[in-house]
Amino acid sequence: MAKPGGRLCRRWPLGEGKPPVFCIRIAGLPIGLNNRYAYVRHLCRDYLTPEKPLFVVRASDEDLRREARASAGRPRPALCESICLYRRLCYRLPAYDAFLMHAAVISMDGAAYVFCAPSGTGKTTHIGLWQQQFGSRAQVINGDKPVFRFIDGVLYACGTPWNGKERLGCNTQCPVAAVCFLEQGPENQIRPLAPQEVTRRIFHQILLPPFQPTFDRFWKLLDRMLQTVPFYLLQCNREPEAALLAYHTMRRSKTC
Amino acid sequence: MLKTKPGFLLRRLGDESMVIAIGAASDQFNGMIRLNDTGAFYWEMLTQGATPDQLVAATLDKFDGVDEAAARQDVLEFLDSVGFALDDDTANH
């Protein structure tokens, strides 16, 4: 990934006319970003749209300070701003039947297969196995932070510019076939998850809107996803068979 | 009297009840507490404010065949488990 530096860390001079806003289209929603650093516009280059935004987000000084404190290593203001903008954007999504979930999503033949796991468990490795097995039939939608949206009663997984340090993903939307939690294990095994088993796992992968009315809308979407989408647990090693097992099991359950 | 702190919300997902913290409250608590039906019942009372005695009385009222000592034990254990999510304006005697 091109790290923010030099030209892309350029700050817009204060007091010189209106601050810039550019518009991106994510999950069918045109959204304005009011940025101080050029980096985020470069990050969003595949999602730019000339449309008028439904709403505009910006990162406050306090947002940036908090993010800088939370990040390890030397401060990277342009990167912090892009993270803060995405967070602010995602807080607004439930009003449009959409929400963020930390996951890696890969599509095959028009269906999206969603993989959730704590960071470092092997989501990226696993979807790499899918790419190995299925070649160009498999397309990564987003390797890290996709947006999900209910459109006409169907849950779609959507590409966004924020797709992880490997920059895996593309600007597309695909109906979700199933969601699978990943755990490392010596043998490849997959089983459906009971609702209580899903709740405790999914909690760590979602972003809770801080404002209660939006949170209530988000909660309804989460409940709807749990009612309508099949959930699985895959224990897997790094062998190619893991991808085949996941695909053949999850595709049998798809309702799309 | 004990009362649930702002930002700590009881919600259901599927068949389960849980307490979650949002906004400023999530700085203090970043997880979720699963509650059974009795815990959810106590929590609902605490959203309006209640004393331990009131919770015990409500337990005896709601459930047959429970003695006061057992009810008190349950209530105190519950309050212990969610104490960080409650405000206590009981004056010190």
Side-chain angles (χ1 to χ4, degrees):
Chain A
M1 170 181 100
K3 291 195 163 87
R7 186 173 66 82
L8 294 178
C9 278
R10 183 182 74 215
R11 270 198 75 144
W12 302 105
L14 295 172
E16 282 192 17
K18 275 173 60 170
V21 174
F22 65 93
C23 194
I24 57 174
R25 189 180 174 89
I26 292 181
L29 303 167
I31 297 166
L33 301 183
N34 177 187
N35 57 322
R36 309 178 201 208
Y37 298 95
Y39 168 70
V40 65
R41 196 177 196 285
H42 174 72
L43 184 75
C44 292
R45 62 194 178 281
D46 295 334
Y47 289 79
L48 297 175
T49 177
E51 296 165 280
K52 202 158 142 355
L54 292 168
F55 59 87
V56 178
V57 291
R58 67 176 284 274
S60 67
D61 291 344
E62 178 54 30
D63 287 345
L64 295 177
R65 273 195 293 270
R66 286 184 81 157
E67 187 60 37
R69 275 199 300 270
S71 61
R74 60 185 172 83
R76 292 156 78 175
L79 184 62
C80 284
E81 185 190 46
S82 77
I83 295 168
C84 292
L85 283 169
Y86 196 38
R87 189 180 295 120
R88 286 257 167 221
L89 182 163
C90 291
Y91 285 160
R92 302 286 297 262
L93 292 177
Y96 305 93
D97 290 345
F99 58 96
L100 173 74
M101 190 161 73
H102 180 48
V105 186
I106 190 157
S107 72
M108 281 271 290
D109 306 330
Y113 298 88
V114 180
F115 290 93
C116 291
S119 293
T121 309
K123 291 193 293 295
T124 309
T125 306
H126 187 73
I127 62 175
L129 293 176
W130 281 59
Q131 291 176 302
Q132 231 180 66
Q133 284 299 298
F134 302 117
S136 59
R137 253 175 93 200
Q139 194 183 45
V140 181
I141 293 181
N142 189 304
D144 185 40
K145 292 189 173 63
V147 163
F148 293 84
R149 187 174 181 216
F150 282 100
I151 302 172
D152 294 332
V154 175
L155 185 66
Y156 283 77
C158 309
T160 79
W162 291 267
N163 52 19
K165 58 184 190 304
E166 297 88 2
R167 307 295 282 127
L168 292 171
C170 58
N171 187 352
T172 188
Q173 289 106 55
C174 211
V176 173
V179 177
C180 186
F181 290 95
L182 285 181
E183 281 177 8
Q184 288 179 15
E187 301 291 323
N188 293 314
Q189 291 179 58
I190 189 167
R191 65 174 178 84
L193 281 176
Q196 320 84 277
E197 300 179 284
V198 175
T199 323
R200 79 194 55 165
R201 287 178 165 87
I202 208 156
F203 195 77
H204 300 288
Q205 314 305 331
I206 54 180
L207 179 72
L208 301 181
F211 183 50
Q212 190 172 329
T214 321
F215 169 79
D216 287 340
R217 272 200 82 138
F218 164 74
W219 201 252
K220 288 199 170 74
L221 298 172
L222 191 63
D223 191 61
R224 200 169 158 194
M225 176 172 67
L226 262 49
Q227 304 295 335
T228 58
V229 173
F231 280 79
Y232 293 90
L233 174 66
L234 172 70
Q235 289 168 321
C236 60
N237 52 37
R238 285 150 183 257
E239 296 300 309
E241 290 71 38
L244 294 170
L245 178 63
Y247 171 62
H248 288 294
T249 309
M250 291 164 83
R251 74 186 283 256
R252 274 194 268 112
S253 68
K254 66 180 176 176
T255 50
C256 57
Chain B
M1 190 183 74
L2 300 165
K3 196 160 189 248
T4 59
K5 284 182 177 162
F8 284 88
L9 308 174
L10 175 70
R11 289 293 181 273
R12 280 187 84 76
L13 203 57
D15 285 334
E16 287 203 292
S17 293
M18 62 198 75
V19 169
I20 309 151
I22 66 166
S26 68
D27 293 339
Q28 196 195 332
F29 177 66
N30 210 7
M32 61 137 156
I33 320 163
R34 257 189 311 274
L35 298 184
N36 60 20
D37 289 343
T38 311
F41 166 68
Y42 291 150
W43 184 274
E44 300 275 19
M45 285 186 68
L46 289 164
T47 55
Q48 309 299 316
T51 64
D53 284 343
Q54 286 169 331
L55 294 175
V56 173
T59 309
L60 296 173
D61 213 37
K62 189 172 155 74
F63 300 104
D64 286 329
V66 177
D67 70 44
E68 178 162 351
R72 188 161 294 273
Q73 168 110 352
D74 278 353
V75 164
L76 292 178
E77 274 174 16
F78 173 78
L79 292 175
D80 220 36
S81 69
V82 300
F84 63 91
L86 304 177
D87 284 327
D88 183 353
D89 68 1
T90 313
N92 286 320
H93 296 293

